[in-house]
Amino acid sequence: MIWLADILIAFLLVAGGFFGLVGAWGLVRLPDMMTRLHGPTKAATLGVGSVLIASIAYFWTHHGQLSWHELLIALFVFMTSPITGLYVGKAHMHLSWKRSELPQPPSGADWATYGRGAETSPIVQAPDQPRASE
């Protein structure tokens, strides 16, 4: 039965390496900042999660102990990576684009990052810097 666990662990490690490679490729090759966010926040997170699950399975099947450290690390990565991507994207919107340059949301509402209360956000109050295109 241990051979079945070894096959599952090997599959998770290969999948983790593949997703890590896709995340690195996306970070390097995608054309702009907003699309480059997808590589590390989605693909690389899946890669790290796969490797951590493989490690948990290895220590559980070969040494008989469940590794809580790796489970907590996986939960932390899965919870913080989307939030980090969201805030990096919001900061990029405020620092690189004017509000009038953004497309209008289909519902007719305003962008939440520019909505009521946004004027007190530290992101909005960042100093004006010349844009790369100017």
Side-chain angles (χ1 to χ4, degrees):
M1 192 64 171
I2 204 109
W3 61 270
L4 187 59
D6 286 343
I7 290 173
L8 177 67
I9 291 167
F11 174 76
L12 286 170
L13 288 174
V14 170
F18 174 75
F19 282 121
L21 182 66
V22 168
W25 181 84
L27 183 65
V28 172
R29 296 293 297 174
L30 289 175
D32 62 14
M33 169 67 188
M34 294 301 265
T35 55
R36 264 186 245 139
L37 273 175
H38 293 286
T41 58
K42 293 179 179 62
T45 300
L46 282 176
V48 169
S50 295
V51 170
L52 288 171
I53 291 171
S55 179
I56 291 170
Y58 174 79
F59 281 106
W60 192 19
T61 57
H62 289 268
H63 297 285
Q65 58 185 354
L66 188 61
S67 176
W68 292 103
H69 300 98
E70 290 146 344
L71 185 63
L72 290 174
I73 292 169
L75 287 174
F76 180 76
V77 168
F78 283 128
M79 288 188 328
T80 58
S81 180
I83 296 169
T84 303
L86 173 72
Y87 279 101
V88 170
K90 279 185 168 191
H92 177 69
M93 285 175 67
H94 284 279
L95 293 175
S96 300
W97 294 335
K98 293 178 182 171
R99 188 179 190 169
S100 59
E101 294 174 332
L102 295 172
Q104 195 68 12
S107 64
D110 200 6
W111 286 87
T113 189
Y114 291 107
R116 189 170 40 185
E119 63 274 357
T120 59
S121 170
I123 293 174
V124 176
Q125 296 175 353
D128 287 337
Q129 295 189 6
R131 297 179 354 178
S133 61
E134 294 178 345

